Structure formats: structure tokens, C-alpha cells
Amino acid sequence: MSETNVKEKPGHVNDPNKMAPRAVFDPTVETDKPQEFYDAIKARFAEERDKRLNYRPEGQSQYISDFEGELAKYETDPWQEARIERDAVEEYSEVVFIGGGFSALLTAARLRQRGVESIRIVEKGSDVGGTWYWNRYPGAACDVSSYDYLPLLDELGYVPKSFFAKGPEIFAHCQSIAKKYDLYGLAMFQTVVTGTHWNEKTKLWELSTDRGDKLTAKFVVVANGTLAKPKLSKIKGVETYKGHSFHSSRFDYGYCGQNLENLKDKRVGIIGTGASAVQLVPHLGRAAKELYVFQRTPSAIDIRDDIPTDPEWAASLQPGWQKERLDRHVLGTKPDPDKRKEIEAMDRALRTRRYENQNIEHQIRLHKRIEEIVKDPATAEALKPWYMHRCKRPTYDDEYLPAFNLPNVHLVDTQGKGITEITERGPVFEGTEYPVDVLIFATGFEVQVTGIYNDIRGEDGLELNEKYSNGMRTVFGIHSHGYPNLFIMGGYQASFQFNVTFMLQTQGFHIADCIQYTRDHGYDTIDARTDVEDWWVSEVIKYRGTTNRNKECTPGYYNFEGEENRREDGNYNGGMWQYCEHIKSVKDDYGKFFNFS
Ligand code: NDP
């Protein structure tokens, strides 16, 4: 395989001021191989996608996330030390947050700064932190530079320990935010909101919980995370498995040992090779007697190259450094107008072809990396991703591929089929049973469209999913007409941003501003205007483009497992900079965007 001519190198080495490197493709630049080369690879991508789709044509319904009976254990909270016994509560708060992760922490902090004191944070777990509360598997870490990802570093006077922060450091940071802004006192832990209903007469939201609480609130913020509810692949016989098993987001250290020492005489199986498994497998590989990795589609794995924070650099940081850094990085996403013009003037077919060719070059570089690292040629071949970059969530790791050189680590490549049967002893693939003592499901999470655990009914009792049944309708992915005083964080129709905390901060500032404006003007309600909703839906559609890219991708949660979907049911792809500009413009004239009463 020849070298590619796409210039991509890790961007941060010895320079903590830079962002983590991301592939950027430029259609004004030609690639250097004959077109037949790229066409052949594209044809292979299509073949692999079809194979995968034919095995699982049922799309998103191949998964289950409502666990009952034998399966209920996959969602229980392993971090809960004791159940909080309490009576049901009846109370009013000005603002109720559903969820206690970054969305709630960041927005509640902003509200506190604006003098809003009557706040409740209702959280399923036993602490704040959301994703980082649940996902404590060995190796859990973030792929965004810590100096960008960990929010409020200026305010907390904290500099992360390394370029990429690990799970425990991020979880501790969430706790620090909660302490700094005195948010623990507002939290109602081990509680799940089950219903959020608008009362037209009182102009208040009425919330019910699984603890029998009756909460009322003027404002509700749906802050339960984008990928919060674990899901399992529907596999015949899964409930008959007699070994130990758990989901990656409910890692069982009691069974495995704090340092996985109990696995030294155990056969371990892991189903799934997404971002969670990529981080977890090296640790399991080092600890287990035998490790079987059951792969359906390989992840694309790029260089991580983490570096510890340079103390001199840390000492040189001036107050306001993180804000300045984030502004710079977001500004970096502002399209260069000349370049944009040049790209727009290009022949459409040529432009698409060049984007695709560069994307293919990028994937080939990753193939080459696999060949260089993984010694067994058949294993190396099986680990190669055959799809365009960003069809699936890209991953960054330096330990996953070398793990397959260990004699006790076995890749069971199901070639797109996946595991379809489990016996009482373990998974079966093509007639071979793989007996394992413990089976870990790294099979991912349900994607939030609306409130994950929650029945949200607005004016006229219309449930939010019913409203969306003809296509999602929001303003900025945050407001939806007919759901006054309700704000949704981290859902679709907002900008996609790899650095999700930046997105959540942007939304959090905006929500805090909206609440402040409504209160300062003595209004009872703020509700999105329908004409603005029309405009935003058309913006989402416009930027989701008219290409077949989604359809051509191998299935995964990015493209709804290959299901046909409406253009508006997804992220706003106009870019983060543009998204921020739109949100900023609200402050110039709230009445242009909202009805107030
Ligand atoms: P994913 O949804 O990304 O991965 C699920 C995995 O399970 C896929 O490999 C899928 O295969 C596989 N799978 C499903 N059913 C079967 C089956 N029957 N047999 C074999 N394999 C099966 O979940 P993750 O938990 O890995 O990641 C979720 C998201 O969380 C990430 O995309 C990322 O956004 C975030 N995350 C971020 C991290 C970071 O910052 N580094 C770390 C971890 C998670 P297939 O691909 O074929 O569908």
C-alpha cells in the first residue's frame, strides 16, 4: 500500500496549545492515485455495508434498552453504596434539571451566577457526573484535549494532568464543579423523572418520578445526556448465559478486582468493538487468562500520543486562558470565505469525488498503521475498517492494536454478522461455542432524541415524540413550540461538536439567558415561534445536504443503523461557529425568536 498524500500528523505533540488533531479534507486539493484505485475501495466499502445490513436489516430495533426480568441487572447502578430511603416529595422549584451530568452542572452554575436559587437536579445515579459517573471501566478517557473538554478550568483554577484526561479525573472535575457552585444541595439522587407534563392553567410543569415525587417547576431543562441509556444487542439465548456478565458502563470491579487481578484465571469475552471496547480491551488483555473479542465491524483507530501536562506551561497560563483558547478553537471552525467560494464554485461531482478520495486516503493510512502494529496478518486484515472516515465514531488509541499481539488475546471476527446466539456457556459463532467465565457487553447506548426515561407532554397533552412523528421540529435543538419553558440539551438539531462540553456550555449560557430574560420581564412563559421553528428545520435540512453519504455508510448509531431517516432528524451541520452566531443573535431581539406571555 503506498503512502498517502494527505498531510495529517498528530497536531499536539509537545504543544499543549493545539487541539487534538482531526482529519480535515479539502476538495481544492487533488489526490495522486488513479481514480480506479479509489473506486475499487469505494466498491469494497459498499460491499461491506451491504453485508452488514443484510445480516441485520431491522435497523435500530436490533437493540433493546428497556430491560426487564433477567436483563434488569444490565442497568443497575454498581456505584450506589446504599439506597437512599426517603419519603416522596411535593415541592415547587423555579428550575428543574432532568439529569445531573455536565449539562445540568454547567447550566446550573450559570443560573446561580444570575441569582436563580430555586433549582432542583433530579439524577438517576448517586452522584453528579453523568457519563463519567457511569462509565468507570478501566481505560475510560476522553478523546478531546483535556484543556478544551474539562469546562470551567479558569473558574476552578485547575489545569488537567495530561493532554487527554482519564475518566476518574473528569468525574472528579464534575464533583468539583458541583462543590464550587454549591450544587450538591440541589440534587435529588437515585431518582428518575418518569413524566413531565405542562399544566396550561398554572403555567407550570408537573413532574412525576419513580419515587412518587410530585414536583412542579416553572422551567424544565432536559439534561439527561445524549448516550445515557445502555443498550444490548438482541441475541438469542442471552438470558440463559450462566457465567457473570455486565454492560461496559456498569463495570463490575467486585467481580474483576480493583486492578482486574481476579481475571488472571478467567476466560473473558467482550461483545462490541466501539469506542468503549477500544479503551477497555488492552486492560482486559493484560489481566485475563484468555480474552475473546467478538467483533462485528472494526473501529477506525488513529494515533493518540498522549503527553503529561508540562508544569512550566501550566505555570505560564494567565487568568482567562481557557476562554481565550476555546474562542480561538471555535473561531478556527469559521469558514474562510475565499476558500468557501472556491469550493462552492467547483463542479459538484468533482468536489464530492475529491472529498471521498481524501477520506479513503485517510482510512488507508489507518490500514497501514494496523499492518505495522499487528503481527498476525490475518488478524491485521480483520481489524481494518472498510468504510469512510466518520461513518462511525473515530477512535484514538495506542494500546488497542498491540493488544492483539498478546498470546492470550483472540479476535473473533464475525465479518459483519455479529454474535447472534449465546448458550449457557458463552457466545457462538458459526457453530463454534466460546465458553467464557465473564461476558462484557460493550454494545453502546440508546441515542437521545427526547427525554430518555421520560414522557414529555406539552400543550394539548401532545407527547414530544408524537409531535416529532412527522419530523423533528425545534429551534437550535433546544426549544420546541408548544413546550413552553422547556429546554432540551445535547439532542438532535443542535450542532455536532466533538467537544461536547463546549456545545453544552453554549447551550447552557443561552438557556440561562432565556430564563433570566423571562424572569426580568415578568413573563410567565417563553415559547419558540412556529415561523422560527420552520426556519431552523429548513436550516438543518439545508446543511444535512443532498448527498447519499448517510446511506452509503456502514450502519451504526451515526446513521440510525442504516434506517431511512428524514433529513431533519439529525444534527445541524452548518458548523459550530455558525451555530454559536445564531444563538448569540437571540440576545439582540428575543421577540424575533420567541412568544412571551
Ligand atoms: P458503540 O455503539 O460505539 O459500539 C457498540 C459496539 O457493539 C459496536 O462495535 C457494534 O458493532 C457492537 N455490536 C452490537 N451488537 C453486536 C453483536 N450482536 N455482535 C457483535 N458486536 C455487536 O458503543 P460504545 O460504548 O463503544 O461507544 C458509544 C459512544 O460513547 C461512542 O461512540 C462515543 O461517542 C462515546 N465514547 C467516547 C469515548 C471517548 O471519548 N474516547 C470512549 C467511549 C465511548 P457494529 O459497529 O457492527 O454496530
Side-chain angles (χ1 to χ4, degrees):
M1 203 77 70
S2 68
E3 280 291 344
T4 80
N5 71 342
V6 177
K7 303 282 176 280
E8 298 172 82
K9 287 276 175 276
H12 63 271
V13 175
N14 298 326
D15 190 351
N17 291 310
K18 289 193 178 167
M19 289 173 93
R22 301 281 175 249
V24 178
F25 305 127
D26 178 354
T28 61
V29 178
E30 182 57 291
T31 43
D32 63 357
K33 297 185 191 64
Q35 189 55 37
E36 297 76 51
F37 170 86
Y38 302 106
D39 291 345
I41 291 178
K42 219 184 144 193
R44 170 85 191 264
F45 286 0
E47 232 173 77
E48 296 289 329
R49 176 212 52 215
D50 290 348
K51 202 159 74 176
R52 184 50 190 79
L53 270 177
N54 291 337
Y55 286 132
R56 286 281 189 169
E58 64 269 44
Q60 298 183 89
S61 62
Q62 71 182 277
Y63 287 104
I64 171 173
S65 57
D66 282 325
F67 301 139
E68 282 167 8
E70 275 297 307
L71 301 184
K73 65 178 182 185
Y74 291 108
E75 211 178 352
T76 52
D77 180 355
W79 321 119
Q80 176 180 313
E81 280 165 17
R83 183 176 153 84
I84 300 166
E85 298 302 341
R86 64 169 178 84
D87 294 331
V89 170
E90 273 189 42
E91 66 171 27
Y92 165 83
S93 314
E94 188 170 2
V95 186
V96 167
F97 286 90
I98 304 174
F102 270 132
S103 298
L105 296 176
L106 295 171
T107 311
R110 296 307 175 206
L111 285 169
R112 278 259 151 118
Q113 287 170 331
R114 286 161 171 74
V116 179
E117 291 299 329
S118 169
I119 301 173
R120 255 292 167 222
I121 297 175
V122 185
E123 164 58 46
K124 182 178 161 79
S126 305
D127 203 335
V128 298
T131 292
W132 302 103
Y133 170 85
W134 296 106
N135 286 280
R136 302 194 208 179
Y137 57 82
C142 183
D143 288 347
V144 176
S145 132
S146 59
Y147 320 120
D148 294 306
Y149 181 78
L150 290 186
L152 308 183
L153 291 176
D154 288 322
E155 287 87 337
L156 270 73
Y158 183 68
V159 181
K161 295 178 196 149
S162 53
F163 192 89
F164 293 109
K166 301 207 168 40
E169 186 180 14
I170 307 173
F171 179 37
H173 191 71
C174 292
Q175 294 172 316
S176 301
I177 295 173
K179 282 180 201 141
K180 161 102 183 169
Y181 292 96
D182 230 351
L183 304 178
Y184 272 111
L186 315 176
M188 205 179 241
F189 290 125
Q190 298 178 14
T191 306
V192 176
V193 173
T194 49
T196 304
H197 299 174
W198 177 247
N199 185 324
E200 191 55 46
K201 285 198 193 106
T202 58
K203 306 279 181 218
L204 296 176
W205 286 99
E206 295 173 348
L207 296 97
S208 48
T209 75
D210 63 348
R211 295 293 193 114
D213 306 309
K214 288 191 177 7
L215 311 178
T216 47
K218 182 165 176 180
F219 301 100
V220 170
V221 185
V222 180
N224 46 216
T226 309
L227 296 163
K229 197 165 170 43
K231 65 178 165 57
L232 291 182
S233 182
K234 287 180 190 159
I235 300 177
K236 190 175 125 204
V238 64
E239 66 290 341
T240 65
Y241 176 62
K242 292 232 164 73
H244 196 72
S245 65
F246 53 87
H247 188 271
S248 56
S249 66
R250 305 289 190 272
F251 198 87
D252 191 343
Y253 285 98
Y255 179 89
C256 300
Q258 271 314 309
N259 298 305
L260 308 188
E261 62 279 9
N262 301 345
L263 298 182
K264 67 175 183 301
D265 57 355
K266 297 283 188 297
R267 296 160 302 175
V268 179
I270 180 164
I271 296 185
T273 50
S276 299
V278 165
Q279 296 182 331
L280 180 49
V281 159
H283 296 264
L284 297 174
R286 285 194 287 268
K289 183 174 152 213
E290 304 292 340
L291 173 66
Y292 296 90
V293 181
F294 298 98
Q295 169 182 276
R296 185 164 68 182
T297 313
S299 272
I301 303 165
D302 213 333
I303 300 163
R304 186 168 194 82
D305 223 355
D306 195 9
I307 44 168
T309 297
D310 173 0
E312 266 180 45
W313 174 78
S316 74
L317 295 169
Q318 299 301 312
W321 68 273
Q322 192 187 35
K323 181 173 180 330
E324 186 271 323
R325 176 187 174 95
L326 287 170
D327 286 348
R328 182 159 42 90
H329 287 174
V330 170
L331 208 62
T333 66
K334 183 180 178 182
D336 169 351
D338 291 337
K339 184 63 117 184
R340 197 178 203 170
K341 264 195 215 133
E342 195 186 349
I343 293 173
E344 279 169 2
M346 284 177 77
D347 171 68
R348 207 175 139 198
L350 176 68
R351 187 171 60 207
T352 306
R353 198 167 66 233
R354 286 196 181 163
Y355 270 130
E356 286 179 350
N357 291 354
Q358 290 185 20
N359 193 314
I360 289 168
E361 296 263 3
H362 175 85
Q363 295 300 78
I364 289 168
R365 180 173 66 74
L366 301 188
H367 284 192
K368 201 162 182 302
R369 181 169 182 248
I370 298 168
E371 285 168 10
E372 282 162 7
I373 296 174
V374 179
K375 293 195 179 114
D376 174 52
T379 307
E381 205 49 41
L383 286 166
K384 289 180 182 172
W386 291 99
Y387 46 81
M388 292 281 183
H389 179 60
R390 295 203 195 99
C391 274
K392 280 186 175 286
R393 207 290 196 167
T395 65
Y396 303 84
D397 197 276
D398 299 332
E399 296 186 344
Y400 179 75
L401 295 172
F404 291 95
N405 293 332
L406 296 172
N408 62 323
V409 177
H410 317 283
L411 180 69
V412 182
D413 177 27
T414 67
Q415 295 154 32
K417 192 168 190 181
I419 292 300
T420 53
E421 189 185 348
I422 297 179
T423 67
E424 59 182 56
R425 286 171 297 278
V428 178
F429 178 62
E430 293 196 332
T432 304
E433 187 186 61
Y434 294 86
V436 289
D437 302 300
V438 54
L439 188 54
I440 302 169
F441 290 91
T443 45
F445 304 87
E446 191 181 300
V447 181
Q448 186 209 172
V449 176
T450 56
I452 277 179
Y453 311 103
N454 192 359
D455 176 66
I456 302 172
R457 294 184 185 273
E459 287 171 356
D460 305 324
L462 187 66
E463 211 275 320
L464 195 50
N465 287 298
E466 284 169 35
K467 169 169 173 176
Y468 289 171
S469 64
N470 293 321
M472 275 191 78
R473 292 187 57 77
T474 76
V475 175
F476 308 139
I478 300 174
H479 318 264
S480 195
H481 175 75
Y483 299 80
N485 297 358
L486 183 93
F487 307 93
I488 300 164
M489 297 186 73
Y492 282 142
Q493 291 199 352
S495 179
F496 175 77
Q497 172 69 352
F498 216 64
N499 183 3
V500 74
T501 58
F502 183 79
M503 231 284 294
L504 298 176
Q505 287 210 71
T506 306
Q507 293 190 332
F509 264 116
H510 167 74
I511 292 167
D513 286 342
C514 286
I515 289 175
Q516 187 175 28
Y517 183 90
T518 308
R519 308 158 115 217
D520 287 356
H521 289 78
Y523 294 126
D524 289 327
T525 63
I526 170 173
D527 193 13
R529 284 173 46 160
T530 47
D531 57 332
V532 182
E533 211 171 70
D534 290 342
W535 163 73
W536 187 249
V537 172
S538 69
E539 282 293 290
V540 172
I541 291 173
K542 180 168 97 189
Y543 284 102
R544 283 176 66 76
T546 48
T547 67
N548 282 328
R549 196 189 135 88
N550 238 8
K551 253 193 190 161
E552 288 173 359
C553 273
T554 193
Y557 79 84
Y558 272 18
N559 70 345
F560 313 91
E561 302 295 337
E563 281 178 11
E564 284 289 330
N565 83 302
R566 289 171 296 246
R567 293 233 174 252
E568 65 265 44
D569 293 358
N571 297 311
Y572 165 73
N573 289 340
M576 192 61 202
W577 181 81
Q578 190 77 47
Y579 183 74
C580 292
E581 289 298 297
H582 284 312
I583 284 192
K584 264 193 233 154
S585 71
V586 171
K587 278 187 145 184
D588 299 335
D589 186 356
Y590 280 86
K592 221 170 104 183
F593 292 84
F594 302 108
N595 295 320
F596 291 93
S597 72

